[in-house]
Amino acid sequence: MPKKYDSKWWIYDQTHESLDSLVGFLESMLSSNKKYQIAMFLLVSKKDIFELFSSKNSYHFYTDFGNSNKNNSMLSFRITKKDEKKIKPDISGNVLFARTPKSEVYLAITDEPRDFVQFVLTPFLKSYYPYISKAFLSANELRQILERLESVTGGQIIADRITAHRRISYIPMQRDESGSKENRIETKESHRVWTKRPFRDAFNEAILNDEWIDKVEFRLINDSKTQMEAYFSRHGLFKFRDSISPFYQTLLPFIMEIIERKFNLYSHRSRNEKPKPSPLVIELDSDIFKDDAQNHRFIEIMKKMSYISMSVYHNNPYIHVSLVDYLDGSTFDLWVLSTNKITVVPQLRATEASVARLMNHIFERFREGTVKEYEGYVKTT
Amino acid sequence: MSRQHDPIQNLLKEIDNYRQTVGAILALGTILIRYYNSAFRVGHKLKPSPQNRIQSNEDVTPDILAQGINLNLIGEVKKSFPQNEEWWLSDLKQIEKYDDNLTNWVNGQVENHDLMLLTHISRGPKLRSFLERKIAEGKIQFNRPLSIIEFTRDSQISTFWHLRKSWGIISNKTLDNHLTVETINLNGENIVSELSSVLFYDSEPIMPDLMNLIWIKVFPDKATTERYMEAAGKKIIELTFTVDEVVDKCRQYFSMPDSSLPKREWIKKAIEGLVKLNRAKKLVGENYLIYYHKIGPDTLRTFVKEWLDSSQDIREFIPQPEDSTDNQTLD
């Protein structure tokens, strides 16, 4: 347990009346200790996650519930990941979950080290899929967020490191003699890093090289001083040093608007709710499917999505595949019937978490686009 | 093995042909619903009159029924015909059963209706000349207007279904003109919901396709979210189903309203097929236990391969690729 009056006691054991008061406390911790770091996940859930945590145990994790405040807007607890083979030591850490003004958006806040975030908190949250979803952000949205931070604070953002992944082209190889196995080049991505450059330059270069931005570490410079050091990832993980106020005051409401709008679009798509299909269209900014090789690349990329299986009905010149998400039973049909659109048709079950996971996979591995409602978008002529 | 003689490719092509035919039916239906304000059904049962020349005792199930103002149609789809032309006559005789005062229409009784034959463009010319010859020889007779509509699917910048009248008369002059002079070209994007939710016409699907369909579209909805969470995408989830449960789900979500499709015997055969592949187990009566888990990387291809491997003795009956009916290939 945290020692009385250390930072952990203040964050996890102390009762915080509101998110404002917690952030005020975190701000003082960050400003007084330059090495101190706060990590924050943005999460989306249709369910009340406080009730979810208390009613449903996560497999492979132990939780010790700690403090909650009077209005039940915050809940802290300690998570332990047990190594069932008893080879590695158990990893434990504290986390504080907070409600936000958006009823379906939650924050998970921790000052624990990176190993805890990566090996305990992330898989712990994943174990509640599809009830809890990551708040996926596209590279375009990350860019909008950083632009807003600059414009509101009047500062300049210098990217210290950007992690981007290259989308490798699919090169079909001949089948082997038996015809039983199809050889192909794996669609691995390479990592590229830029340092100490204005973030716009790095983003522009990534787009030119057909790379997708995964995470960005940057400094917000104001009056030649570093006001905030931060890390933003497209999987909704944010980390802060020096200060959290510019994020909390300027960006959080903006990001929550983006997330809410997106998940509203992804919601209520299942045919169990509305028997008539409710498709979504991903509009791409170029006629990428003019090139037949892109059809093969798209299919190979979709096969690599984790925990899904795919049935390929047609792959050239148009695409029709069906997907099953084996993490929650969501099912989809994907159609490419023109050169710049992918139509996603949710079937009997289609959770918003699964739709979000699917969209993020297409955006990351194939190409980013704009998701739109099918009804009213496709001309009925 | 050349691709032409690759049984997996041949079966996948047959599966695609089935889908192309369903697509053509849906394209026609969409036009009739949107522009002719017509009700449209696939697999709707009608009652024959006692005077029916072919089948007076049992209900008849046309592939297509359309009912609107000045437009009543019964259509039959003939995607392919046997190699032996002698058998064509018996196929066409089947259409005669709709040349009758049929009852149980969707929106009340109709006084008269048209007959329509829907076939792939590659079959059109032979069918036209055969039909004309048999009518001239008096071996077949239609008292109602009959037309042949040819269809094809084509992908250039976008994927379209094209429909045109190649023979005969449609009493509704506007539709006749529409299908003769202009032809109907429907962008697949306009019927993507229908293509994803109507998967059958009155012809038995290729069995591994049907097995795949119920595996990927019907079974996943049965398990609770909690069971999926526990399985974590890795463990087998055991599900129990009855044949009727699967039939009802398919008719509710993957067929037109009021449809008798898919037929119960098709579904039973598909579930028995899963038992044969050790992916399901027969319990008491018509209850089955499904060993549900991820099959990949391409579930359809896996079912096709397993079906072929388990059916060596029927391999010779698997249809060989016919004339190219499309300009696409399955790679």
Side-chain angles (χ1 to χ4, degrees):
Chain A
M1 289 297 288
K3 288 178 192 168
K4 203 170 185 183
Y5 308 130
D6 72 0
S7 63
K8 293 197 187 313
W9 184 85
W10 281 106
I11 298 175
Y12 308 109
D13 290 355
Q14 177 74 329
T15 301
H16 305 282
E17 280 183 17
S18 66
L19 196 53
D20 284 353
S21 66
L22 170 69
V23 170
F25 168 74
L26 294 175
E27 184 68 12
S28 66
M29 295 290 292
L30 289 162
S31 62
S32 62
N33 182 352
K34 295 290 175 194
K35 289 185 179 172
Y36 191 66
Q37 181 174 280
I38 291 290
M40 180 188 286
F41 261 117
L42 257 76
L43 309 168
V44 185
S45 179
K46 291 265 176 206
K47 286 186 176 278
D48 184 319
I49 66 167
F50 293 10
E51 285 177 16
L52 189 65
F53 290 143
S54 57
S55 65
K56 198 176 294 296
N57 286 328
S58 172
Y59 302 98
H60 314 298
F61 295 93
Y62 295 94
T63 46
D64 295 319
F65 286 95
N67 212 6
S68 69
N69 62 4
K70 262 190 284 184
N71 55 10
N72 194 33
S73 66
M74 283 185 223
L75 172 70
S76 69
F77 54 85
R78 187 168 183 80
I79 309 169
T80 302
K81 186 182 183 186
K82 295 269 185 194
D83 180 31
E84 282 160 9
K85 292 176 185 167
K86 300 190 186 303
I87 299 167
K88 296 175 190 166
D90 297 345
I91 310 175
S92 294
N94 297 286
V95 61
L96 185 147
F97 289 91
R99 297 182 196 277
T100 71
K102 302 285 184 195
S103 61
E104 292 172 4
V105 183
Y106 294 82
L107 303 176
I109 301 166
T110 183
D111 67 346
E112 300 286 359
R114 183 180 163 178
D115 274 7
F116 172 77
V117 174
Q118 189 175 349
F119 299 117
V120 181
L121 184 55
T122 303
F124 171 79
L125 295 171
K126 194 178 160 192
S127 73
Y128 283 95
Y129 178 94
Y131 291 134
I132 296 177
S133 172
K134 289 178 181 175
F136 294 108
L137 295 165
S138 67
N140 193 36
E141 287 161 349
L142 279 176
R143 187 190 181 114
Q144 284 175 36
I145 289 163
L146 295 178
E147 281 172 349
R148 187 175 178 91
L149 183 62
E150 268 192 346
S151 70
V152 174
T153 61
Q156 189 190 11
I157 292 174
I158 299 295
D160 286 326
R161 191 162 70 176
I162 286 189
T163 307
H165 302 272
R166 184 180 292 163
R167 298 182 175 106
I168 302 285
S169 300
Y170 168 79
I171 302 169
M173 306 284 280
Q174 294 229 320
R175 285 163 186 250
D176 64 14
E177 282 299 304
S178 69
S180 61
K181 191 178 171 185
E182 200 173 348
N183 295 322
R184 64 179 74 89
I185 285 180
E186 292 294 311
T187 52
K188 284 179 183 165
E189 301 88 19
S190 60
H191 298 252
R192 295 193 57 184
V193 170
W194 292 267
T195 52
K196 301 193 184 350
R197 301 170 65 190
F199 81 93
R200 282 185 184 80
D201 294 354
F203 270 69
N204 289 341
E205 194 170 323
I207 290 164
L208 276 175
N209 292 326
D210 194 23
E211 292 167 336
W212 50 276
I213 307 271
D214 192 24
K215 20 186 123 70
V216 52
E217 288 179 58
F218 63 91
R219 279 170 296 134
L220 175 66
I221 309 289
N222 238 330
D223 297 330
S224 305
K225 286 181 187 166
T226 298
Q227 189 182 354
M228 178 175 82
E229 262 189 69
Y231 160 108
F232 290 4
S233 91
R234 63 185 295 137
H235 285 220
L237 175 62
F238 302 83
K239 295 178 191 171
F240 308 94
R241 280 199 179 126
D242 297 319
S243 174
I244 193 172
S245 288
F247 172 83
Y248 182 69
Q249 288 163 3
T250 307
L251 291 187
L252 188 58
F254 180 65
I255 297 170
M256 287 195 300
E257 283 291 335
I258 291 173
I259 293 167
E260 185 182 55
R261 200 165 49 239
K262 185 182 300 188
F263 276 77
N264 280 344
L265 187 61
Y266 295 168
S267 295
H268 306 298
R269 298 270 155 196
S270 86
R271 296 186 61 201
N272 282 329
E273 281 188 69
K274 285 184 284 182
K276 189 172 181 273
S278 309
L280 290 165
V281 177
I282 304 171
E283 187 183 55
L284 305 165
D285 61 2
S286 69
D287 291 325
I288 188 165
F289 289 108
K290 247 184 184 173
D291 174 9
D292 284 355
Q294 295 296 336
N295 287 26
H296 298 282
R297 189 179 146 241
F298 180 75
I299 285 170
E300 291 308 313
I301 283 168
M302 293 315 299
K303 280 181 185 169
K304 287 179 187 299
M305 186 173 162
S306 57
Y307 302 106
I308 69 110
S309 74
M310 188 162 79
S311 293
V312 182
Y313 286 106
H314 213 283
N315 64 4
N316 187 33
Y318 76 88
I319 295 174
H320 175 207
V321 298
S322 292
L323 301 181
V324 181
D325 182 346
Y326 281 85
L327 289 179
D328 71 354
S330 293
T331 51
F332 306 94
D333 278 279
L334 266 58
W335 295 86
V336 177
L337 294 159
S338 63
T339 52
N340 68 341
K341 285 190 253 332
I342 300 165
T343 306
V344 176
V345 185
Q347 290 288 358
L348 272 62
R349 185 180 299 183
T351 63
E352 50 275 7
S354 188
V355 177
R357 200 164 79 86
L358 173 63
M359 293 298 182
N360 182 63
H361 183 81
I362 294 171
F363 281 18
E364 278 186 357
R365 304 303 166 110
F366 186 69
R367 180 156 292 207
E368 290 203 350
T370 309
V371 184
K372 295 180 174 175
E373 186 76 59
Y374 170 85
E375 286 297 331
Y377 174 73
V378 173
K379 288 180 202 165
T380 51
T381 53
Chain B
M1 188 183 296
S2 75
R3 299 193 71 190
Q4 194 178 0
H5 298 106
D6 179 348
I8 294 177
Q9 285 299 325
N10 291 344
L11 216 48
L12 287 170
K13 187 158 180 61
E14 285 301 309
I15 289 166
D16 183 53
N17 283 344
Y18 191 93
R19 302 236 168 259
Q20 189 187 169
T21 305
V22 174
I25 292 169
L26 294 172
L28 178 65
T30 301
I31 296 296
L32 296 178
I33 291 166
R34 287 185 187 166
Y35 300 112
Y36 295 86
N37 203 19
S38 161
F40 187 79
R41 295 288 185 272
V42 175
H44 178 83
K45 284 186 192 290
L46 292 169
K47 294 201 178 299
S49 73
Q51 290 76 38
N52 193 299
R53 303 195 292 277
I54 309 293
Q55 181 174 316
S56 57
N57 297 329
E58 283 178 42
D59 289 352
V60 293
T61 313
D63 287 333
I64 296 168
L65 178 151
Q67 186 177 9
I69 301 163
N70 301 323
L71 180 77
N72 300 305
L73 278 175
I74 294 290
E76 194 70 355
V77 180
K78 286 290 162 197
K79 178 66 174 66
S80 59
F81 283 91
Q83 297 289 341
N84 186 345
E85 279 197 8
E86 290 304 308
W87 295 353
W88 289 25
L89 188 61
S90 65
D91 266 11
L92 291 178
K93 280 272 179 197
Q94 289 300 307
I95 297 157
E96 273 195 85
K97 68 187 173 192
Y98 306 124
D99 189 17
D100 179 27
N101 287 321
L102 302 165
T103 54
N104 192 36
W105 286 71
V106 182
N107 294 323
Q109 190 50 27
V110 303
E111 285 189 11
N112 217 335
H113 63 269
D114 285 21
L115 301 173
M116 190 177 262
L117 251 172
L118 203 63
T119 192
H120 191 269
I121 198 164
S122 61
R123 305 274 165 220
K126 275 189 181 174
L127 178 61
R128 286 198 302 268
S129 63
F130 183 84
L131 188 63
E132 281 174 346
R133 202 166 66 239
K134 293 300 165 190
I135 289 173
E137 290 169 2
K139 293 198 173 162
I140 192 164
Q141 181 193 339
F142 292 99
N143 298 319
R144 287 168 174 76
L146 173 69
S147 60
I148 296 176
I149 307 298
E150 296 174 359
F151 67 85
T152 186
R153 183 185 61 194
D154 177 42
S155 295
Q156 298 296 328
I157 292 172
S158 295
T159 297
F160 279 84
W161 267 263
H162 304 282
L163 297 149
R164 71 170 190 213
K165 191 192 84 178
S166 64
W167 183 89
I169 297 165
I170 302 171
S171 337
N172 183 308
K173 297 293 172 207
T174 314
L175 181 62
D176 192 284
N177 196 50
H178 199 166
L179 279 162
T180 310
V181 180
E182 300 168 36
T183 74
I184 288 173
N185 304 308
L186 194 69
N187 191 332
E189 284 190 336
N190 291 333
I191 52 169
V192 79
S193 290
E194 291 80 359
L195 291 169
S196 303
S197 57
V198 179
L199 306 180
F200 303 99
Y201 75 107
D202 193 13
S203 169
E204 185 176 309
I206 309 294
M207 206 33 64
D209 183 28
L210 186 54
M211 289 154 68
N212 180 61
L213 189 154
I214 60 179
W215 190 273
I216 64 168
K217 293 201 190 299
V218 176
F219 292 166
D221 194 44
K222 180 82 184 256
T224 61
T225 301
E226 281 66 26
R227 290 189 73 190
Y228 277 106
M229 289 169 82
E230 195 181 342
K234 294 170 187 164
K235 294 180 192 162
I236 289 173
I237 300 175
E238 292 189 346
L239 305 169
T240 51
F241 271 96
T242 63
V243 172
D244 287 330
E245 203 178 343
V246 179
V247 171
D248 290 348
K249 281 271 181 191
C250 285
R251 286 185 186 168
Q252 188 182 351
Y253 290 104
F254 300 109
S255 211
M256 283 263 178
D258 312 327
S259 179
S260 56
L261 304 174
K263 290 181 180 168
R264 193 178 185 282
E265 62 259 32
W266 302 349
I267 297 295
K268 190 171 179 190
K269 199 167 155 188
I271 298 177
E272 289 290 352
L274 292 171
V275 173
K276 195 174 171 186
L277 301 184
N278 296 319
R279 297 196 179 278
K281 181 182 166 187
K282 195 170 192 321
L283 302 173
V284 181
E286 291 203 320
N287 290 280
Y288 292 85
L289 181 68
I290 313 296
Y291 302 113
Y292 197 65
H293 64 284
K294 181 182 168 183
I295 300 174
D298 182 339
T299 315
L300 176 63
R301 196 180 180 88
T302 304
F303 274 121
V304 166
K305 186 175 182 310
E306 288 184 359
W307 176 253
L308 286 168
D309 289 346
S310 70
S311 315
Q312 294 291 338
D313 52 329
I314 63 155
R315 197 171 284 205
E316 60 189 285
F317 298 113
I318 293 162
Q320 291 297 306
E322 298 180 22
D323 303 346
S324 174
T325 54
D326 202 357
N327 58 356
Q328 296 94 29
T329 55
L330 274 161
D331 291 321

